[in-house]
Amino acid sequence: QTFNGLLDRLDKAFASQDRFIANASHQLRTPLTILKGELDLMRKTSPTADQVQAGLESVGVEINRLIQLVQDLLLLARLEGGRDTIDFTPVRMDEVLMRVVARLQKLARNKQVQVTTSFLAEAPGSELDVEIQGDEELLDSMFENFIENAVKYSPPGSLVELSMKVYPELIEVTIQDSGPGIPRELRQKIFERFTRVQPSHIVPGSGLGLSIAAEIARLHHVKIDLNSERQGGGTVARLTFSRFQG
């Protein structure tokens, strides 16, 4: 019985690896095919200056897409190494969040989306004690994926509301957007690799961001809750950090 259980787990692991390789190959093939097509077109024809400019812009977009995909794959490989690859040090959550928000302001402005922040302690007027043990680089990446996703899916003229509430035993970070929401049947599936709510030509991305965020959350013992059933639409992502992570 134990041996059969081991074989079953190995079979699932190999199947998961095969799916990941197939998906990664597909994701890499698409931008490479577009790059080749644009370069072949410029090489075989006599394009105008405007056509050359448009072709170069398309090439630049695909190169950036490839860079992001490779970076995401490398980060996933690091995360799969487990806790031994993570450098746990004291991290101030407020500093990480403000740094991520500042970095995403250009994306938000381009979409005409406003990102608001609110940091509150349980006892009004008390000092904000927001230090936890974690890998600062990975936590930065996790928050960026959630906040960037909220901005990407929010319509122009709307808000993305970021809040942090500090309690004696936990810290709760909430990211609330004004997007289309996530169907109930997809709320766990979106954390799988290369799963997307909308196609990449509508909302850009590699399809790896939330799976990376979920893996970082798991390694830091962070609980993730998604809710798309509030009045007015949108999605609320709630990340709960325990003060005692072990």
Side-chain angles (χ1 to χ4, degrees), residues 5-22:
L6 172 63
L7 290 177
D8 186 51
R9 289 193 297 275
L10 285 172
D11 186 55
K12 289 179 180 177
F14 285 133
S16 175
Q17 185 180 50
D18 287 343
R19 285 195 304 273
F20 178 69
I21 292 171

Side-chain angles (χ1 to χ4, degrees), residues 6 13 26 56 59 71 84 150 176 180 195 237 246:
L6 172 63
H26 174 74
L56 290 175
V59 166
Q71 287 176 338
D84 291 341
Q176 182 172 305
T195 297

Side-chain angles (χ1 to χ4, degrees), residues 31 67 81 102 106 118:
I67 291 170
K106 182 178 179 181
S118 171

Side-chain angles (χ1 to χ4, degrees), residues 146 172-175 187-188 191 222-228 235-240:
F146 274 106
E172 186 179 270
V173 177
T174 303
I175 302 128
R187 286 181 202 163
Q188 291 305 314
F191 294 110
V222 176
K223 181 183 177 184
I224 302 174
D225 288 309
L226 294 179
N227 185 349
S228 291
T235 298
V236 178
R238 182 171 288 105
L239 311 178
T240 305

Side-chain angles (χ1 to χ4, degrees), residues 62-81:
E62 298 307 322
I63 289 174
N64 288 334
R65 184 176 169 188
L66 280 170
I67 291 170
Q68 184 62 56
L69 180 58
V70 170
Q71 287 176 338
D72 286 346
L73 290 170
L74 290 173
L75 181 53
L76 272 175
R78 178 190 170 194
L79 293 173
E80 286 176 346

Side-chain angles (χ1 to χ4, degrees), residues 82-99:
R83 292 177 67 90
D84 291 341
T85 68
I86 299 178
D87 183 22
F88 281 86
T89 59
V91 178
R92 282 195 62 92
M93 298 268 285
D94 54 346
E95 293 178 1
V96 175
L97 285 167
M98 292 308 297
R99 187 167 63 240

Side-chain angles (χ1 to χ4, degrees), residues 107-162:
L107 172 66
R109 282 195 301 270
N110 289 342
K111 280 215 66 183
Q112 300 175 20
V113 170
Q114 183 181 357
V115 181
T116 65
T117 57
S118 171
F119 298 164
L120 299 171
E122 183 183 34
S126 63
E127 186 177 352
L128 214 58
D129 178 16
V130 292
E131 193 173 89
I132 66 164
Q133 290 291 317
D135 185 304
E136 187 163 349
E137 179 185 348
L138 293 182
L139 290 172
D140 186 292
S141 178
M142 181 186 72
F143 286 128
E144 179 168 333
N145 276 310
F146 274 106
I147 299 169
E148 181 181 25
N149 219 51
V151 171
K152 284 181 176 179
Y153 281 94
S154 290
S158 64
L159 288 177
V160 168
E161 299 172 76
L162 170 67

